[in-house]
Every structure is written in structure tokens, then in C-alpha cells.
Amino acid sequence: MTSDGERHGSRELAEITARTLGHYDRNAESFWRGTRDHDVGQNIAALLAHIEGKPPFTILDFGCGPGRDLKAFTDLGHAAVGLDGSGRFVEMARAHAGCEVLHQDFLRLDLPAGSFDGVYANAALFHVPTQELPRVLTELRAALKPRGVLFSSNPRGDNEEGWNEERYGAYWERETWRRYLSGAGFAELAHYYRPVGLPRAQQPWLATVWRAT
């Protein structure tokens, strides 16, 4: 792990993307078996509760993986669109959820402006190297409708980033994460730690909800 602030060149960023996505492509089926029954209803509800207006909503599931939560949004009647950089995950999500899934890696987004009521980023944004995070957050904000909502859940850390076997991740403390989101034009609406009902030391996930300002 490295401390917050280390810079990567374009070749290093390409390697980060290729190695991380390669890991998910190779392990897509085992990942699905290990996560398909996870209960993240609290996260889905947190996003939907803060979107203004009447449903159905247009939702971007950013880092949708095999499509578990994407299908949950469609089953609730919302117009959900998935996005993932793993080609295998994109295939699985399209088959599982039966809706549009964009094949885009997080560092090369091409999203329609002002199109989504909400962006749902569950266990996804921590894969963005810290130096690229302000740009990616700005691009997600631009994809939201006015006063749209961003939900994020990331593993907590001490502002360190680096390789965890074949996956690259950045692990922020809450105040650092707030600084990045505020700097990208978001206002915080709520935060909580997961899994619920456990001591803080046993809650490795920080969930936050933000409104585009």
C-alpha cells in the first residue's frame, strides 16, 4: 500500500485497469456465487429515499458487476442502466437483469449529460486511483440531472492505496472522502457504516449519499 498522493503515469494507470479487470473477468463466476445473496437493501433504499420527484427513476448502476442490484432496481420498476469495465460482468449483468449495460472502464467514461436521477456506486469507486478521483466524480456529477443523487459504499481505510493481490484499491477515511465529494460539487445527505448492528471496528464499509449542487 502507498500513501495518498502518489502519482501514476499513463502506463501505470493502464496496468491498474488491465490487471484489476482481468482479475474480475477470470473470477466472475466465483464472485457471483460469493455475492449474489448479499443483502444491500439498505443501500438501495438510501439512494431512492433521497431522489426528488416521483418514481420511476432513471438509475445508473456504476460498477454493476454480474447484475444483482441492477435487477433489484428494475424489479422495483425503475429504468436502470448498468456499467462495468469487466466484459464478463457485462455479459452476466445483461443476461441476469435484462436491461442495458454499458461496457466502460471507470477511467474512460462516456456518459450522457444530465440523464440520471441517481448514480449507485456500490463497492466500485474505491477502484479509482486517488489522482483520478476528482475527474471521475466530476464526470458522474455531469451525468446526473439537476439535484440528482449519488450513493457510494467503499471499504474504509487510512487514505492508503495499492494492490490487494490482483485488484487495485484506494481506502479512504471519511473526512478525506468528504473532501473529494465536496470538491466535485456534491453536498452530503447521509452516511452510515456497514454491516449494521456491529461495533464500528467490525464495520469495514462506509456508505454515503450525496446531492449534486
Side-chain angles (χ1 to χ4, degrees):
M1 289 291 177
T2 62
S3 61
D4 183 11
E6 180 173 323
R7 301 290 299 180
H8 300 287
S10 58
R11 184 174 299 179
E12 291 175 301
L13 290 174
E15 179 189 3
I16 286 170
T17 297
R19 283 180 60 184
T20 302
L21 293 179
H23 168 86
Y24 283 118
D25 281 335
R26 291 189 302 274
N27 297 281
E29 282 72 22
S30 61
F31 181 90
W32 177 235
R33 290 193 298 270
T35 61
R36 63 187 177 190
D37 295 325
H38 286 184
D39 181 5
V40 292
Q42 181 186 19
N43 295 346
I44 291 172
L47 171 68
L48 297 176
H50 287 91
I51 297 177
E52 298 175 341
K54 295 182 179 180
F57 303 125
T58 302
I59 306 295
L60 176 66
D61 188 346
F62 181 84
C64 65
R68 177 198 63 204
D69 302 345
L70 188 61
K71 188 175 189 304
F73 282 115
T74 60
D75 286 349
L76 289 170
H78 301 290
V81 176
L83 183 150
D84 210 281
S86 162
R88 186 70 188 102
F89 278 170
V90 168
E91 294 172 356
M92 295 168 73
R94 287 171 178 165
H96 183 64
C99 57
E100 181 182 7
V101 182
L102 306 174
H103 188 192
Q104 298 181 18
D105 81 58
F106 297 170
L107 303 188
R108 295 178 178 272
L109 298 176
D110 183 16
L111 297 171
S115 296
F116 300 102
D117 296 297
V119 172
Y120 178 80
N122 188 67
L125 282 169
F126 79 100
H127 284 312
V128 176
T130 301
Q131 74 183 58
E132 302 299 306
L133 184 61
R135 175 177 63 84
V136 172
L137 290 174
T138 299
E139 292 171 349
L140 291 179
R141 181 178 176 274
L144 282 166
K145 297 176 183 179
R147 295 183 57 79
V149 177
L150 168 69
F151 170 87
S152 169
S153 179
N154 295 310
R156 297 190 293 129
D158 296 317
N159 302 324
E160 295 180 334
E161 64 185 291
W163 292 101
N164 180 0
E165 297 181 353
E166 289 296 304
R167 296 186 300 174
Y168 191 91
Y171 306 90
W172 305 287
E173 61 184 8
R174 183 184 171 217
E175 289 306 314
T176 303
W177 184 238
R178 291 179 69 188
R179 186 172 71 245
Y180 280 112
L181 270 291
S182 298
F186 289 95
E188 187 173 13
L189 299 171
H191 80 278
Y192 55 90
Y193 298 91
R194 285 179 55 85
V196 295
L198 295 177
R200 183 62 50 79
Q202 298 176 37
Q203 294 176 311
W205 294 90
L206 169 64
T208 55
V209 189
W210 305 83
R211 188 175 309 284
T213 58

